[in-house]
């Protein structure tokens, strides 16, 4: 990766520590359209890492194997080398504790990936059906792939076998996400301007269509308690949905161009959104206000020019598990790590043609996709303040309005709230 330009404000910022890379195999046709790596994902239990290598292929690898290879071979690991390829294993219980590598041909260009795991106590919301084709137990691990032809394919991670083929979308499925509560509720976002809610415990039955977007829907994300869904899309759209009533809560106004990615903080108190207007906004989703703005162009473009800064479009955003850091990836060939309480990045790294990023399950590593390959960096290590730890603890169980109404001194309330 070549050197990269820094703005005046970023010249003294530390370089992020490279951890490793997974390189896709190369051949003459790989340089053509279709090799884009639009999506990367970590399994909820940290056992697997998956990414789209382009040309219909998804690679599933045990994450512990990746880390071992990174340590053994410095920062390189060719994903398909014979020395690191593991044999496929059956899905019986004696072998589930041995994650194995899989290459999955999804049959069309892959735009989105999401892992889902089951909690047995979370029953299907469809109470009238007594017989189901699949009985997803606690050991089940699924992978959902959103495809160019509008289909969503559900795979058994342990065997690489296709389980379900969901076919109601009419355009590209741009994003998929599972509810974090183990219910195996899946939401998909599509260019057909809709979000669809699927119940995999009811054999993939489509439960609801969420309508409100007037243009393409680019992304969606659940709050940690699975009660709220955020969806983002073209025409500056940021919507919040009540997932108990399947109704819209509010529309967040502030971006000046298409919004392409979103993610909630681990305590659910904050929402980060990334836009082609060169900005990442951090919102309080409960009151609909912007608490922080991270600009990728200095000085930031005025609203009328926000659509023209094509070399600073922000492609992806991800919240770290400490709730203190946010990673963003932009078209200026840079990955940035931000603290939620500082104006400028705390670390940066170079990345050409980056399209997506996400933190590992334990929050120690950031993975970023680039044309079929993946690069990894260590997360900034900084001690959280007492205030941040207190906020994280209480905001996991209380929304903003409840905190503000606590019968405690106003200074303590202020201490516990994220402020502008």
């Amino acid at each position: 990766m070549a050197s990269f330009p820094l703005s005046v404000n970023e010249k003294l910022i530390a370089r992020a520590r490279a951890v490793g890379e997974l390189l896709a195999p190369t051949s003459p046709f790989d340089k053509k359209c279709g090799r884009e790596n639009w999506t990367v994902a970590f399994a909820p239990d940290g056992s697997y890492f998956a990414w789209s290598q382009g040309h219909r292929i998804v690679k599933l690898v045990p994450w512990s194997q990746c880390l071992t290879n990174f340590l053994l071979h410095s920062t390189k690991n060719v994903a398909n080398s014979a020395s690191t390829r593991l044999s496929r294993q059956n899905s019986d219980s004696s072998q589930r504790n041995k994650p194995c590598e899989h290459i999955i041909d999804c049959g069309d260009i892959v735009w989105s990936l999401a892992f889902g795991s089951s909690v047995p106590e979370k029953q299907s919301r469809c109470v009238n059906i007594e017989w189901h084709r699949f009985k997803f137990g606690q050991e089940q691990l699924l992978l959902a792939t959103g495809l160019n032809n509008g289909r969503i394919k559900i795979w058994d991670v342990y065997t690489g076998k296709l389980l379900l083929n969901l076919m109601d979308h009419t355009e590209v499925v741009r994003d998929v996400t599972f509810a974090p509560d183990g219910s195996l509720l899946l939401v998909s976002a599509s260019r057909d301007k809709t979000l669809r809610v699927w119940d995999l415990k009811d054999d993939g039955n489509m439960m609801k269509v969420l309508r409100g977007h007037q243009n393409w829907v680019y992304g969606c994300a659940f709050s940690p308690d699975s009660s709220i869904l955020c969806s983002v899309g073209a025409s500056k759209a940021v919507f919040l949905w009540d997932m108990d009533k399947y109704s819209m809560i509010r529309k967040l106004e502030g971006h000046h161009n298409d919004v392409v990615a979103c993610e909630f903080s681990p305590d659910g108190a904050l929402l980060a959104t990334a836009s082609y207007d060169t900005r990442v906004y951090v919102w309080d989703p409960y009151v609909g206000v912007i608490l922080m703005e991270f600009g990728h162009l200095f000085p930031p473009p005025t609203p009328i020019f926000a659509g023209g800064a094509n070399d600073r479009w922000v492609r992806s955003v991800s919240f770290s598990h400490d709730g203190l850091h946010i990673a963003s990836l932009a078209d200026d060939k840079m990955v940035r790590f931000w603290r939620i309480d500082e104006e400028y990045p705390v670390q940066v790294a170079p990345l050409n043609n980056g399209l997506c990023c996400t933190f590992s399950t334990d929050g120690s590593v950031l993975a970023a996709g680039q044309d079929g390959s993946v690069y990894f960096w260590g997360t900034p290590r900084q001690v959280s303040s007492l205030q941040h730890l207190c906020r994280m603890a209480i905001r996991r169980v209380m929304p903003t309005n409840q905190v503000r109404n606590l019968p405690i001194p106003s200074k303590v309330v202020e201490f516990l709230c994220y402020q502008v």
Side-chain angles (χ1 to χ4, degrees):
M1 290 179 283
S3 61
F4 55 98
L6 290 174
S7 71
V8 173
N9 295 314
E10 294 175 320
K11 285 183 178 178
L12 300 178
I13 297 171
R15 178 76 69 96
R17 178 178 58 88
V19 173
E21 56 193 45
L22 294 172
L23 305 180
T26 58
S27 58
F29 70 86
D30 276 345
K31 298 299 181 182
K32 297 179 181 179
C33 180
R35 194 190 176 202
E36 293 86 0
N37 177 4
W38 290 107
T39 178
V40 293
F42 288 92
D45 62 357
S47 59
Y48 274 93
F49 175 72
W51 82 101
S52 167
Q53 291 187 341
H55 304 300
R56 317 187 316 184
I57 300 301
V58 168
K59 189 67 179 290
L60 270 166
V61 293
W63 179 234
S64 60
Q65 173 195 327
C66 289
L67 291 176
T68 300
N69 288 336
F70 293 160
L71 292 173
L72 291 176
H73 306 291
S74 272
T75 62
K76 269 199 178 176
N77 172 29
V78 178
N80 288 308
S81 66
S83 62
T84 61
R85 186 180 299 140
L86 299 181
S87 61
R88 291 173 182 253
Q89 300 180 12
N90 295 324
S91 189
D92 59 76
S93 59
S94 66
Q95 294 178 340
R96 284 183 183 270
N97 293 328
K98 295 182 178 180
C100 59
E101 186 175 294
H102 293 294
I103 297 175
I104 298 174
D105 186 343
C106 295
D108 207 339
I109 295 172
V110 180
W111 285 86
S112 50
L113 292 172
F115 283 97
S117 57
S118 174
V119 174
E121 302 82 58
K122 290 286 183 179
Q123 300 298 320
S124 167
R125 295 196 184 188
C126 187
V127 295
N128 295 325
I129 295 181
E130 297 180 357
W131 180 88
H132 292 95
R133 178 183 172 193
F134 296 106
K135 300 293 184 182
F136 294 119
Q138 195 163 7
E139 292 184 347
Q140 193 77 36
L141 184 60
L142 306 179
L143 180 71
T145 55
L147 306 181
N148 193 69
N149 58 10
R151 296 190 177 188
I152 302 165
K153 292 186 176 181
I154 310 298
W155 309 83
D156 184 325
V157 170
Y158 298 113
T159 64
K161 292 181 180 178
L162 178 64
L163 300 178
L164 292 167
N165 192 359
L166 312 178
M167 298 184 290
D168 284 291
H169 280 297
T170 58
E171 295 285 347
V172 172
V173 179
R174 191 61 187 84
D175 198 13
V176 287
T177 184
F178 279 98
D181 62 3
S183 63
L184 288 185
L185 203 67
L186 177 72
V187 175
S188 54
S190 172
R191 287 183 182 174
D192 65 12
K193 307 177 186 178
T194 69
L195 297 131
R196 295 175 190 258
V197 186
W198 315 80
D199 185 354
L200 297 195
K201 289 193 174 182
D202 185 21
D203 295 339
N205 176 52
M206 191 186 71
M207 301 169 54
K208 199 73 178 179
V209 180
L210 303 180
R211 304 182 189 275
H213 287 266
Q214 301 301 309
N215 290 283
W216 291 359
V217 190
Y218 280 108
C220 53
F222 272 100
S223 62
D225 65 359
S226 303
S227 66
I228 298 175
L229 181 83
C230 175
S231 62
V232 297
S235 302
K236 316 170 192 177
V238 180
F239 292 151
L240 296 177
W241 306 84
D242 182 326
M243 293 306 288
D244 291 323
K245 302 177 181 177
Y246 300 115
S247 61
M248 189 186 300
I249 300 172
R250 65 171 55 89
K251 182 177 180 180
L252 302 180
E253 305 277 358
H255 278 296
H256 307 297
N257 202 340
D258 293 358
V259 190
V260 294
C262 59
E263 188 163 281
F264 283 89
S265 61
D267 60 2
L270 303 175
L271 172 70
T273 56
S275 170
Y276 288 165
D277 66 10
T278 78
R279 298 168 171 91
V280 167
Y281 285 153
V282 180
W283 309 77
D284 183 327
Y286 296 96
V287 295
V289 300
I290 298 170
L291 301 179
M292 195 73 183
E293 175 185 325
F294 299 130
H296 295 66
L297 181 64
F298 303 95
T302 58
I304 196 170
F305 293 111
N310 295 359
D311 62 339
R312 296 295 192 276
W313 281 4
V314 188
R315 294 280 180 179
S316 186
V317 65
S318 184
F319 246 109
S320 69
H321 291 240
D322 62 6
L324 190 62
H325 294 94
I326 291 173
S328 66
L329 191 155
D331 282 351
D332 62 355
K333 304 178 182 179
M334 285 178 62
V335 177
R336 292 172 172 86
F337 293 91
W338 313 78
R339 275 180 61 111
I340 61 171
D341 54 0
E342 293 186 12
E343 186 177 358
Y344 299 109
V346 293
Q347 290 184 9
V348 294
L351 182 69
N352 292 327
N353 304 320
L355 296 171
C356 57
C357 67
T358 190
F359 282 96
S360 61
T361 306
D362 65 1
S364 63
V365 172
L366 179 79
Q370 173 221 44
D371 287 350
S373 299
V374 191
Y375 296 90
F376 301 88
W377 293 273
T379 303
R381 297 180 179 179
Q382 295 180 310
V383 177
S384 298
S385 67
L386 177 62
Q387 181 185 25
H388 182 70
L389 295 174
C390 291
R391 284 188 303 202
M392 289 273 290
I394 197 166
R395 294 309 302 273
R396 288 181 190 277
V397 295
M398 282 190 179
T400 305
N401 292 333
Q402 287 185 18
V403 174
R404 289 179 175 175
N405 292 328
L406 286 173
I408 55 178
S410 58
K411 285 293 184 181
V412 179
V413 171
E414 184 178 328
F415 182 82
L416 293 173
C417 288
Y418 293 97
Q419 303 290 334
V420 178

